[in-house]
Amino acid sequence: MNKIEKLIAELCPDGVEFKALKEVALVSRGKRLTKRKLDPKGRFPVYSGGVTPMGYYGQYNQPANTVTVVKYGTAGFVNYIMKEFWANDVCYCLKPFDSTITLDKYLFYTLKSRQNLIQSLAIDAIPAHLPTEVIKNFRIPIPPLGVQHEIVRILDTFSELEAELEAELEAELEARRKQYEYYRERLLSFDNAPPPVIYNKHVQCVAVDEIATLQRGTSITRKEITNGNIPVVAGGRKPAYFHNNANRGGETIVVAGSGAYAGFVSFWKESIFVSDGFSIKSNGSQTLTKYIFYVLKSNQNQIYNMKQRGGGVPHIYIKNIAPFRIPVPPLEIQHEIVDILDKFDALVNDLSIGLPAEINARRKQYEYYRDRLLTFKEAA
């Protein structure tokens, strides 16, 4: 029997009392502060409806070690602010009435473990919001103070270890990303090709439109989009929507056409619907579409610099990419380059393998143990 189990058996053998938040803590909202009043030189972070501070200010209206729950925006997100801060009026601030009954850090951990439930109670509107009465009446277990202290001690230790491990994994992941980019640049530089690519003959550079078909996407409004399973590629790093119909199939490169992601190069293997932007596909048997993608991706910054502005919005067009010249080695060399870079890419980016999966597993392990610690039988 561990220490928590012994304390529960000793202090609350018949279960734990559950209380509404308004019975154990002051639930208040912050005070409105507009973006115009933010001060980049201010000492105190300003928390609003987001996960991170919206900026800084020269004053604070909440003390350190305050639990917050977002009302609007990311409604239901639970946070613990360890320094003085300014709370905007779109988040709730929770402070226990009596620290001999409820610890602020225990309050945070128990609400964080129930964050998904709290978020599900938000009203689905524009914007989504968590009503005051809902959060005030949200019930949580209040075990004896000794149990709370032990839970906080364990979870603080776990949090520190999890943060250290995650930082190490993130650092390793960043190192792998840089390693991947380095080898990509080396593999695609044919002036002095390194092993395992051994090719000493001249490599011809040709324009993209000489080896590939470039085709504009099809404009589609949100009203026309059905709830299907075909990704609609409209410029971002992920599908914007899903549709029932596709206008591209097989291996396809997509270059985002306008907005914040204008010029972003992505690669798709499944059927997709290209909306904002244009597609690129090899037009012959001597050039791999995936190889063209890797060359363009290695020149991503140069492609971003091709953007033109129209009506205040950045755009990139087929005419910008069509004459862009890329090296085209023999097909066997392309296959070898693609194979090497695919392996690097999977290690760095695929959430099902490699370091990202390990980071995700660490988080789930911590959350599982936290939720176990904060699950109590309710007293009759």
Side-chain angles (χ1 to χ4, degrees):
M1 182 179 291
N2 61 39
K3 188 173 181 179
I4 287 284
E5 291 171 334
K6 290 179 180 177
L7 284 170
I8 291 173
E10 177 186 343
L11 300 175
C12 44
D14 299 322
V16 169
E17 187 176 8
F18 280 57
K19 292 185 177 182
L21 281 174
K22 64 183 180 182
E23 297 179 70
V24 297
L26 174 66
V27 181
S28 61
R29 287 175 63 182
K31 185 176 180 181
R32 176 172 288 275
L33 186 70
T34 62
K35 287 186 177 180
R36 287 191 302 174
K37 292 184 178 180
L38 294 177
D39 180 3
K41 296 181 181 179
R43 288 178 51 205
F44 304 102
V46 178
Y47 282 89
S48 188
V51 175
T52 56
M54 63 178 283
Y56 291 84
Y57 192 52
Q59 301 176 41
Y60 68 92
N61 63 3
Q62 294 295 327
N65 303 318
T66 294
V67 180
T68 64
V69 181
V70 174
K71 177 179 175 64
Y72 289 102
T74 53
F77 177 79
V78 180
N79 205 356
Y80 185 74
I81 317 299
M82 293 186 289
K83 62 177 290 186
E84 293 92 349
F85 68 102
W86 184 278
N88 222 330
D89 62 342
V90 295
C91 71
Y92 298 108
C93 300
L94 284 64
K95 293 297 292 183
F97 291 128
D98 190 340
S99 60
T100 64
I101 296 175
T102 311
L103 299 177
D104 51 17
K105 200 65 176 292
Y106 169 80
L107 182 63
F108 164 69
Y109 280 130
T110 196
L111 289 176
K112 194 67 176 177
S113 73
R114 292 159 173 79
Q115 180 173 274
N116 289 340
L117 175 58
I118 296 170
Q119 290 175 326
S120 73
L121 299 174
I123 294 176
D124 187 14
I126 301 176
H129 66 279
L130 185 67
T132 302
E133 288 307 305
V134 169
I135 192 64
K136 282 188 173 182
N137 289 302
F138 190 80
R139 298 175 76 246
I140 62 170
I142 306 295
L145 202 63
V147 175
Q148 293 183 42
H149 273 294
E150 184 61 14
I151 288 173
V152 168
R153 185 191 68 79
I154 292 171
L155 291 180
D156 276 352
T157 302
F158 260 84
S159 295
E160 290 172 7
L161 290 173
E162 193 263 346
E164 289 175 7
L165 286 170
E166 192 167 311
E168 290 176 7
L169 291 170
E170 290 284 4
E172 187 173 352
L173 181 56
E174 181 59 25
R176 293 288 179 88
R177 286 194 183 106
K178 290 181 178 178
Q179 185 182 35
Y180 163 65
E181 291 171 3
Y182 169 79
Y183 275 103
R184 186 183 63 196
E185 305 311 310
R186 289 291 304 275
L187 286 169
L188 295 169
S189 174
F190 290 91
D191 292 334
N192 184 24
V197 176
I198 302 171
Y199 187 68
N200 296 319
K201 296 181 181 179
H202 176 68
V203 174
Q204 184 181 11
C205 286
V206 299
V208 171
D209 62 357
E210 293 181 49
I211 56 172
T213 300
L214 290 80
Q215 184 181 2
R216 289 178 59 186
T218 304
S219 180
I220 185 171
T221 65
R222 192 166 182 176
K223 291 181 180 179
E224 296 175 293
I225 294 171
T226 52
N227 188 24
N229 58 3
I230 303 296
V232 177
V233 184
R237 297 169 185 266
K238 297 179 180 179
Y241 314 104
F242 289 87
H243 193 40
N244 277 333
N245 301 316
N247 59 8
R248 303 288 190 277
E251 294 191 343
T252 306
I253 302 164
V254 179
V255 180
S258 62
Y261 287 106
F264 180 77
V265 181
S266 59
F267 180 82
W268 304 80
K269 290 191 293 187
E270 68 268 45
S271 295
I272 59 173
F273 189 99
V274 180
S275 176
D276 178 32
F278 54 91
S279 63
I280 302 173
K281 294 173 74 76
S282 171
N283 60 12
S285 60
Q286 295 306 307
T287 312
L288 302 175
T289 298
K290 191 66 174 289
Y291 170 78
I292 298 172
F293 163 72
Y294 278 127
V295 176
L296 293 177
K297 199 65 182 175
S298 72
N299 290 279
Q300 180 70 82
N301 289 337
Q302 189 174 343
I303 293 172
Y304 281 144
N305 290 334
M306 296 178 184
K307 288 185 286 191
Q308 302 174 16
R309 300 195 73 84
V313 178
H315 296 272
I316 193 160
Y317 305 100
I318 287 177
K319 66 180 181 181
N320 302 125
I321 299 295
F324 189 76
R325 300 180 69 79
I326 68 172
V328 181
L331 199 59
E332 64 269 23
I333 301 300
Q334 294 180 43
H335 275 293
E336 191 168 1
I337 289 172
V338 167
D339 183 59
I340 294 168
L341 293 179
D342 276 351
K343 289 175 182 176
F344 267 107
D345 186 66
L347 178 63
V348 172
N349 297 312
D350 193 340
L351 288 177
S352 66
I353 60 172
L355 294 172
E358 189 171 351
I359 291 171
N360 192 47
R362 297 285 186 182
R363 289 173 182 161
K364 288 187 178 299
Q365 183 183 40
Y366 164 75
E367 290 169 2
Y368 170 80
Y369 194 69
R370 179 198 65 198
D371 294 348
R372 284 286 304 274
L373 282 174
L374 292 163
T375 299
F376 296 95
K377 180 179 75 174
E378 186 170 3

